[in-house]
Amino acid sequence: MPESINIPDDGEMEPVRLPDSNLESVEATVRKLMEQQAEQARQLDSLSAPPDPSPFAAFGLPSLPGVPGAPLQAPPEPRPILELEGEEYEDELDALTDWVDGFLIDTYGAEVTTAAPWCKQWQEHDDVVAWLHALWMAYLQHKDPEAGPSGMFVWHRDFLTHCLAHVRAAGGPLSACQTDPDRDAHRLLPGPASSHRTVRAAAAGDRPEPGEPDQAAG
């Protein structure tokens, strides 16, 4: 029969003390269990991660730019076309021309009249280029599915109508150009001259800093 355990009169039992050898064995077992748990967590994380289509993934190497399967970079933020220069400007103007000539005018280009002039060299009118480029950017934004079902209606109401009403106004930037479908014309109207303040500063050879009095004005 098992040896009986004597309980002290006060009801409290003395703590069980394990030999040092047994204690080391328990600590080793606990460490091993913790290592196994951490390894299982790493395996679960790797299984839940999306697969890397890169051919270098099997070797533990990151995807490289320009390699099929490499993560796509976010497109650059759109910039006003008149802020571009050189080849960047020419490429953007070519893309804008394709959209204007191939879509905008074919779809929304009303008859050319004195009340609605047009210019086949509209690319020479900087203000017209800026307006049409802004209209194109708004078109790309509002045709995106994230704009919702009413996106294109908003573009027609808030952008298309207002832009064409300005660009093709009788007294607008193209008013000296083609006003008859059978008579091509292109002419750049002179814009406002520089203000007197700018002229005086240029003549003095120095432009006053903002907040400083204009010495040439005295």
Side-chain angles (χ1 to χ4, degrees):
M1 295 183 61
E3 184 178 354
S4 61
I5 301 176
N6 296 325
I7 301 177
D9 296 338
D10 56 5
E12 296 183 358
M13 298 181 62
E14 295 183 0
V16 178
R17 300 184 182 277
L18 297 176
D20 292 342
S21 59
N22 293 343
L23 183 60
E24 293 177 358
S25 176
V26 171
E27 291 178 350
T29 302
V30 172
R31 283 198 301 268
K32 185 176 182 180
L33 290 175
M34 293 178 65
E35 292 175 355
Q36 291 177 349
Q37 184 179 11
E39 179 63 24
Q40 291 176 354
R42 286 193 293 269
Q43 292 178 356
L44 290 175
D45 290 340
S46 63
L47 291 176
S48 60
D52 187 352
S54 168
F56 301 96
F59 302 96
L61 299 177
S63 300
L64 300 178
V67 176
L72 297 178
Q73 297 182 352
E77 292 294 329
R79 294 169 55 194
I81 190 171
L82 297 186
E83 292 184 0
L84 307 179
E85 296 179 354
E87 185 177 350
E88 190 178 10
Y89 172 83
E90 294 298 331
D91 291 343
E92 189 74 0
L93 186 59
D94 286 342
L96 174 62
T97 299
D98 291 340
W99 181 75
V100 171
D101 292 349
F103 170 72
L104 182 67
I105 296 304
D106 281 351
T107 307
Y108 304 101
E111 182 181 4
V112 176
T113 65
T114 55
W118 184 242
C119 182
K120 291 184 178 180
Q121 300 182 54
W122 56 266
Q123 296 90 343
E124 303 297 325
H125 301 262
D126 287 346
D127 51 349
V128 173
V129 169
W131 272 91
L132 295 179
H133 185 261
L135 181 64
W136 181 33
M137 293 294 98
Y139 173 80
L140 295 177
Q141 176 186 354
H142 285 79
K143 79 167 189 173
D144 190 278
E146 292 186 359
S150 62
M152 290 308 299
F153 175 83
V154 173
W155 180 76
H156 281 82
R157 181 196 65 192
D158 294 347
F159 298 92
L160 174 69
T161 303
H162 186 61
C163 177
L164 293 184
H166 172 78
V167 169
R168 302 193 62 183
L174 303 180
S175 57
C177 295
Q178 182 183 12
T179 58
D180 188 319
D182 299 324
R183 188 174 66 249
D184 288 341
H186 167 64
R187 187 174 130 200
L188 294 174
L189 297 176
S194 299
S195 66
H196 291 299
R197 178 181 177 84
T198 301
V199 173
R200 289 196 301 267
D206 186 23
R207 182 187 298 272
E209 294 294 330
E212 293 184 358
D214 187 355
Q215 301 296 333

